[in-house]
Amino acid sequence: MRVMVLVKATRDSEAGSPPDPAMLAAMGRFNDELREAGILRAADGLRPSSDGKRVAFDGASRTLIDGPFEHTSELVAGFWLWEVKDLEEAVAWVKRCPNPMPGPSEIEIRPLYEMSDFI
C-alpha cells in the first residue's frame, strides 16, 4: 500500500524561517530509518505558500492566484511517499517521527489510489 504522509503547515513554516538544526538532524535520522526499512519512496519539504501559485479551474476558465494562501492549517509544508503493508504500519512510523515543527503540528496519512481500486 502506498501512502502520502503530509506534514501540515504552521505559522512557523509559512514564515519561511530556517528549520532548527537539531530538528533537521533528527529528521535526517528518521529518514535514514525509513530508507533502511525499505518503505521510503520520496520525501521533501515545501517552501512557504508565499512562494507558490494556484490555478483555479471553472469549466474552460483558468484563474491564477498568487500566494500566500489563507488557512495555514490546510496547507502542506512537506511530504513523504511511503510503501507500507497497511495503514497501521504507516501510523506506527508517524508516531515515531520527530516533531517537524517548533510547536504543535500535525501529520496526515492518505492512502493513494491503486489501479486495483478501479477494477
Side-chain angles (χ1 to χ4, degrees), residues 29-103:
R29 289 188 296 275
F30 181 68
N31 286 338
D32 289 343
E33 290 178 33
L34 293 169
R35 270 192 230 43
E36 290 168 13
I39 67 171
L40 182 64
R41 297 295 173 261
D44 245 318
L46 301 174
R47 294 176 66 144
S49 70
S50 58
D51 292 342
K53 307 233 182 244
R54 286 184 179 166
V55 177
F57 291 73
D58 186 4
S61 174
R62 307 293 186 263
T63 304
L64 180 63
I65 305 164
D66 292 321
F69 307 123
E70 294 184 47
H71 310 295
T72 299
S73 65
E74 296 177 8
L75 300 173
V76 175
F79 71 91
W80 288 278
L81 179 60
W82 295 349
E83 184 143 353
V84 293
K85 68 178 184 259
D86 54 31
L87 206 50
E88 289 74 27
E89 182 183 17
V91 169
W93 276 101
V94 168
K95 285 182 174 181
R96 294 175 54 188
C97 180
N99 186 351
M101 299 294 170

Side-chain angles (χ1 to χ4, degrees), residues 18-29 31:
D20 174 62
M23 187 279 296
L24 279 179
M27 197 60 74
R29 289 188 296 275
N31 286 338

